[in-house]
Amino acid sequence: MRRLRRDDPERGVIAPLTAILMVAMLGMAAFAVDVATMYSEHAQLQNGADSAALAIAESCAKTPTDASCTAPMSYATGFADGNALDGHTNVLSAAVGAGTVNVTTQAQDSSGNNHFSLVFARVLGIQVTDIQASAEAKFGGYSTGNVLPLSFSKCEADPGFTKGLQFFPEHGNSLADDPGYECITTSSSGLEVPGGFGWLDHTPGVCKVTVDILNPWVGTNTGQNYDSDCATALNNWGAVLADPSKTVDILVPIFDDVRGIGAGAEFHIEAFAQISLRGWNLKGGSSLPGDFMTAEATTLSKSLKLKNSDNGIFGRFIKKVTLAEAAAMGGPTTYGALGVQLSK
């Protein structure tokens, strides 16, 4: 009997397919392994740049004439190398400006070449790549920014003082008999206890107060009506809150002590209250910027039987924020309140 033979048209295709797929597999290996090592290298470079910038900034804050501040390159190199697993990093730049330090690091191999050597990517003709990292640190006086220059008594931000939506009074005596508003005085003047009108001294032209963390006494800005420098902010907040779906959160200084009287009074700022704003009556009348009321603020005002002379803001107390938590660089150094922090 004659045996029939049948040619298989697919025989012999495994070898070329394997060769083709090997290129793809090597490419994936190059991506997986080399990219992972590149990420690791960048993390080391970033740690080196961060630590160098912070160290130089701290040195400049303490002693501006120190060599590490006037000639920061060599000083930065030690921190950059110390954060590299192989002990090799090139510091491209380390510069000290007005209250800032900028450091840029670059990958370097053990031979001193300023690049990062790849492994699997060499199969694809890619030998090396350039990896860099940058950091910026600020030094100087601590301050707090974007804080409304209007202060309220400590008891109004006490964690136990939880009323949901509440009224934070600046002036008035309508609530003197309300047990939930024990901060209100019964004096004929309607001033809050302790202190008086809560507007604070601040830089002219801006609606925010700066507080020195180590000496948080802030002078009072006399007058009952809203601060004219805050007119733009108040108008903007009113425009946002006109949409019931939107909110405005602000930080309000909380004082725990007061000294002096009248124009010479000073408030001791203990912390800040984060408040979700719902409205305000800072002048009397019924229009922006001095007055604005959402529907729920109007309801609360009526239930408390407030008058136009009862000035303050309506909002939901969210939490207490410490001075340090709200700190930013750029404040005064009169009382030695120096600090250092990464800004980029």
Side-chain angles (χ1 to χ4, degrees):
M1 175 181 291
R2 185 177 180 182
R3 185 175 182 179
L4 296 177
R5 295 182 59 190
R6 184 176 66 181
D7 292 333
D8 188 347
E10 296 184 358
R11 290 183 64 187
V13 301
I14 299 300
L17 279 176
T18 300
I20 294 173
L21 290 174
M22 281 296 295
V23 176
M25 290 175 65
L26 287 173
M28 287 187 289
F31 180 83
V33 176
D34 286 338
V35 169
T37 55
M38 288 167 63
Y39 270 109
S40 176
E41 180 70 14
H42 184 270
Q44 296 169 52
L45 291 171
Q46 190 64 62
N47 288 339
D50 290 347
S51 61
L54 285 171
I56 295 171
E58 183 176 359
S59 176
C60 292
K62 292 179 179 178
T63 311
T65 57
D66 190 83
S68 57
C69 184
T70 58
M73 280 292 290
S74 58
Y75 193 66
T77 299
F79 287 92
D81 288 345
N83 281 274
L85 293 178
D86 59 3
H88 294 279
T89 298
N90 178 43
V91 177
L92 277 177
S93 63
V96 177
T100 61
V101 177
N102 288 279
V103 176
T104 299
T105 55
Q106 181 185 38
Q108 185 182 77
D109 64 20
S110 58
S111 299
N113 300 307
N114 296 326
H115 59 234
F116 180 73
S117 298
L118 300 172
V119 180
F120 284 95
R122 293 175 177 271
V123 178
L124 304 178
I126 305 174
Q127 306 289 323
V128 298
T129 187
D130 184 28
I131 304 176
Q132 298 180 15
S134 298
E136 179 185 85
K138 291 187 176 182
F139 62 92
Y142 272 122
S143 71
T144 52
N146 299 321
V147 180
L148 186 69
L150 179 63
S151 187
F152 298 95
S153 178
K154 174 182 178 179
C155 58
E156 290 165 356
D158 190 279
F161 189 68
T162 55
K163 293 175 61 69
L165 179 66
Q166 63 192 70
F167 179 61
F168 294 83
E170 171 211 355
H171 172 271
N173 50 25
S174 295
L175 299 178
D177 297 325
D178 189 318
Y181 286 83
E182 64 271 20
C183 297
I184 302 303
T185 179
T186 57
S187 66
S188 59
S189 66
L191 297 181
E192 190 178 5
V193 176
F197 300 121
W199 290 102
L200 303 174
D201 283 340
H202 59 91
T203 303
V206 296
C207 185
K208 64 181 181 180
V209 66
T210 297
V211 180
D212 188 322
I213 287 183
L214 295 188
N215 193 67
W217 287 94
V218 182
T220 181
N221 186 4
T222 57
Q224 177 180 349
N225 294 343
Y226 73 91
D227 193 309
S228 59
D229 286 333
C230 292
T232 299
L234 292 168
N235 279 320
N236 291 339
W237 293 342
V240 173
L241 292 173
D243 183 344
S245 66
K246 296 181 179 179
T247 60
V248 173
D249 287 357
I250 62 173
L251 289 181
V252 177
I254 299 299
F255 67 88
D256 59 358
D257 196 7
V258 64
R259 64 189 182 190
I261 59 174
E266 292 180 302
F267 293 97
H268 185 271
I269 306 304
E270 179 209 37
F272 302 100
Q274 182 181 354
I275 297 172
S276 183
L277 197 59
R278 292 295 185 272
W280 57 88
N281 174 22
L282 299 175
K283 181 180 180 181
S286 59
S287 61
L288 285 167
D291 300 271
F292 177 83
M293 303 283 279
T294 61
E296 57 181 336
T298 300
T299 299
L300 177 60
S301 178
K302 291 179 178 179
S303 68
L304 295 174
K305 298 180 181 180
L306 299 180
K307 302 173 183 178
N308 281 340
S309 59
D310 293 308
N311 302 134
I313 63 176
F314 296 83
R316 297 183 182 277
F317 174 66
I318 299 174
K319 66 178 180 179
K320 226 175 192 180
V321 179
T322 68
L323 299 186
E325 287 175 316
M329 304 308 299
T333 59
T334 306
Y335 304 101
L338 292 172
V340 173
Q341 62 184 201
L342 283 175
S343 50
K344 290 183 182 178

